[in-house]
Amino acid sequence: MRVLVTGGAGYIGSHTVHELVREDHHVVVYDNLSKGHKSAVPAGVKFVKGDIRDQELLAQVLKENEIETVVHFAADSLVGESMQQPAKYYHNNVVATLALLDTMRECAVNKIVFSSTAAVYGEPEQWPITEDMPTCPTNVYGRTKLIIEGILADFAMAYGLKYVSLRYFNAAGAHIEGLTGEDHNPETHLVPLILKTALGQREAISIYGTDYSTPDGTCIRDYIHVTDLAAAHVLALKHLVHGGECRVYNLGSQAGFSVREVIDKAKEITGVDFAVREDERRAGDPAVLVASSARIKAELGWKPVWSQLNQIISSAWAWHRKN
Ligand code: UFG
């Protein structure tokens, strides 16, 4: 396959690029490096520094490399930040994706795998969440991704676009051989913040809210290893290249862990009894998000391999200690 990966220097993007390279696909990474790291792109992979809103450059790259399909990661993805800076999210996610889709149309590239999110569901009434449950985001980030899913469906109907939208639950962990890992700046995600605390780079880990209606009062999330997510992108690309229909899939492990449970597991794995502080709730956080991934397992044969909580934390811990 000849694949353009927007945001391929980022966390989930770079893990996906590694998986594509492992299978010998022709990959071009297109990333403006606003958050990604060029060093996360494997050696030998063509890298173009560019913004998806630069339609001239993007068109040139699509044509020159005879790209067949796009995997679109480039986006802002922080729930908390999206509540404080909605304009940034509507511009960088919705407007920029529209520019990408227009350029793809101009270049007759009609297949895309899109990074969506569990945040499209909001506060679901039942778990595990299936793809046909109502979507009602509680935060701006989730709303931007749901808007794009609507645009994809409309473009499919009117212009014959073929897409797979992957709704990620909580991506975590690092490449099993340590080739890449999670490195956001600033870091806001639970697992890396816990590990930075265990490394003594932070004084304490804060728990955002202890009064949720969950057994221990802290939010429950479905943590999925980033390499399992990456593998799902490769399957989705193959599905499209082989003429498959437009699909929406959840990607989770179907196991929920509370913030306290993740902290306890990290203490066990790292052997460090770091400090924990109870804090206020963070705006936009739903109490529980746990996925059913039955659909992608049945239709594309996806099987999470690395997504036990101890595998996630151990791989992330190995990477954080080295980097
Ligand atoms: N949390 C803390 N303390 C922290 C950081 C996080 O208690 O220092 C809590 C959060 O409140 C939340 C849980 O840990 O309950 C997980 O938080 P993350 O920030 O790690 O992840 P989110 O659930 O907010 O969001 C992530 C991705 C989103 C995606 C979502 C899907 O960042 O892009 O998972 O579930 F939409």
Side-chain angles (χ1 to χ4, degrees), residues 113-180:
V113 176
F114 173 62
S115 294
S116 188
T117 174
V120 298
Y121 295 108
E123 285 277 4
E125 281 165 16
Q126 273 174 278
W127 304 279
I129 303 168
T130 54
E131 291 85 351
D132 46 16
M133 283 186 187
T135 46
C136 186
T138 53
N139 53 61
V140 174
Y141 168 62
R143 253 188 304 280
T144 64
K145 293 286 180 170
L146 191 57
I147 291 170
I148 298 166
E149 286 195 359
I151 295 173
L152 292 173
D154 289 341
F155 276 40
M157 185 182 59
Y159 309 128
L161 179 73
K162 295 290 181 193
Y163 71 91
V164 173
S165 183
L166 299 175
R167 294 177 174 167
Y168 315 147
F169 283 64
N170 285 59
H175 193 281
I176 299 305
E177 290 150 34
L179 301 181
T180 181

Side-chain angles (χ1 to χ4, degrees), residues 301-318:
W302 179 64
K303 279 196 208 95
V305 180
W306 306 104
S307 292
Q308 301 284 335
L309 188 60
N310 59 348
Q311 294 172 307
I312 289 173
I313 296 177
S314 302
S315 63
W317 178 234

Side-chain angles (χ1 to χ4, degrees), residues 270-283:
T270 62
V272 183
D273 186 19
F274 48 84
V276 178
R277 192 165 52 214
E278 295 188 359
D279 241 314
E280 296 300 307
R281 287 184 177 202
R282 188 174 67 176

Side-chain angles (χ1 to χ4, degrees), residues 141-297:
Y141 168 62
R143 253 188 304 280
T144 64
K145 293 286 180 170
L146 191 57
I147 291 170
I148 298 166
E149 286 195 359
I151 295 173
L152 292 173
D154 289 341
F155 276 40
M157 185 182 59
Y159 309 128
L161 179 73
K162 295 290 181 193
Y163 71 91
V164 173
S165 183
L166 299 175
R167 294 177 174 167
Y168 315 147
F169 283 64
N170 285 59
H175 193 281
I176 299 305
E177 290 150 34
L179 301 181
T180 181
E182 187 165 14
D183 185 9
H184 297 111
N185 189 15
E187 188 53 80
T188 63
H189 293 97
L190 182 65
V191 171
L193 286 178
I194 288 174
L195 298 178
K196 283 171 188 282
T197 312
L199 283 169
Q201 296 167 5
R202 300 166 52 90
E203 266 177 31
I205 183 74
S206 292
I207 300 181
Y208 296 145
T210 52
D211 59 349
Y212 285 95
S213 55
T214 59
D216 69 15
T218 68
C219 288
I220 293 177
R221 292 288 180 276
D222 180 338
Y223 295 88
I224 177 84
H225 195 285
V226 64
T227 298
D228 287 332
L229 283 186
H233 291 76
V234 180
L235 292 174
L237 281 166
K238 287 179 181 165
H239 168 79
L240 291 177
V241 167
H242 293 136
E245 286 307 311
C246 299
R247 302 302 284 145
V248 175
Y249 294 119
N250 285 343
L251 289 175
S253 66
Q254 204 158 321
F257 293 95
S258 73
V259 174
R260 280 194 208 281
E261 285 172 327
V262 177
I263 290 173
D264 290 346
K265 181 57 79 179
K267 285 191 174 184
E268 185 189 311
I269 287 172
T270 62
V272 183
D273 186 19
F274 48 84
V276 178
R277 192 165 52 214
E278 295 188 359
D279 241 314
E280 296 300 307
R281 287 184 177 202
R282 188 174 67 176
D285 273 343
V288 183
L289 285 174
V290 178
S292 160
S293 298
R295 183 187 280 180
I296 189 167
K297 287 178 183 164

